[in-house]
Amino acid sequence: MIVKVCGLKFENQIEKLDQIKSVNWLGFIFYKGSKRFIKSINGNVKSAEKVGVFVNEDIKNILKVAETNHLDILQLHGGESPELCVELKTSYTIIKAFGIDERFDFSQLENYQDKVDYFLFDTKTKGYGGSGNLFDWSILEKYTLNIPFLLSGGISVESIDAIKNFRHKSFIGIDLNSGFENEPGNKNIELIKTFLKHLNNE
């Protein structure tokens, strides 16, 4: 299972998380409307892949930030078009995020077939993620494409059993954020370690 820890800001936390073997991706939010916004990545990342999160950003700015920060993966969390995803996919791995609720129209995802590498399904909010709330994962029974996806939105230590029991052919990972923070951007490293030990039955 891919484990992504998102919304990082502090150098010491970034480097500590990078040393945890079961943390695969580290997420950095380059959206100014977020409480976890950063201008550039502090900290030396040697093992994990670096994910840059963008919301309705101009492609030139995305590419500039990606090159400057040596990003591996781009997560598009707004209303980005399939065409934009294709342009960026020539150089980067692409995650397209969608906010999910009971009214979500899964047919729109067909437009992204072969244009993105992953989907990320988050709790639908007025903003762009960071709500700290879970959505009803059973809704994802309606998702039938083969593009792998990560679960996001409100995951916490209390979610371990639900994650272990969740079944879907395209489910490949989880995104950890607000459920593991002392305050926005300030992660509780020990809580993350405890969560991962229980998740991996260590």
Side-chain angles (χ1 to χ4, degrees), residues 102-166:
E102 63 277 2
R103 296 179 296 276
F104 185 77
D105 178 10
F106 283 90
S107 67
Q108 65 183 293
L109 301 181
E110 295 173 9
N111 296 325
Y112 293 85
Q113 187 78 44
D114 302 321
K115 298 176 176 66
V116 303
D117 298 285
Y118 302 94
F119 287 130
L120 182 141
F121 295 138
D122 198 358
T123 305
K124 185 175 180 60
T125 66
K126 292 182 179 179
Y128 299 97
S131 69
N133 298 318
L134 285 167
F135 68 91
D136 181 1
W137 295 348
S138 68
I139 296 171
L140 297 177
E141 293 174 2
K142 299 177 183 177
Y143 175 64
T144 58
L145 300 181
N146 292 320
I147 297 171
F149 69 83
L150 286 82
L151 286 173
S152 183
I155 294 175
S156 68
V157 172
E158 287 72 34
S159 307
I160 291 173
D161 288 342
I163 294 167
K164 288 183 177 181
N165 293 324
F166 181 70

Side-chain angles (χ1 to χ4, degrees), residues 53-116:
V53 180
F54 301 89
V55 178
N56 299 326
E57 186 61 77
D58 179 80
I59 187 170
K60 290 181 180 178
N61 291 335
I62 293 175
L63 291 172
K64 182 179 179 180
V65 170
E67 183 177 358
T68 302
N69 291 277
H70 306 289
L71 299 179
D72 304 292
I73 302 169
L74 307 181
Q75 178 177 316
L76 307 177
H77 215 100
E80 295 84 5
S81 68
E83 292 73 26
L84 177 65
C85 294
V86 169
E87 285 191 65
L88 293 170
K89 196 173 184 295
T90 59
S91 302
Y92 296 94
T93 298
I94 302 298
I95 303 170
K96 181 69 187 77
F98 290 89
I100 305 295
D101 63 10
E102 63 277 2
R103 296 179 296 276
F104 185 77
D105 178 10
F106 283 90
S107 67
Q108 65 183 293
L109 301 181
E110 295 173 9
N111 296 325
Y112 293 85
Q113 187 78 44
D114 302 321
K115 298 176 176 66
V116 303

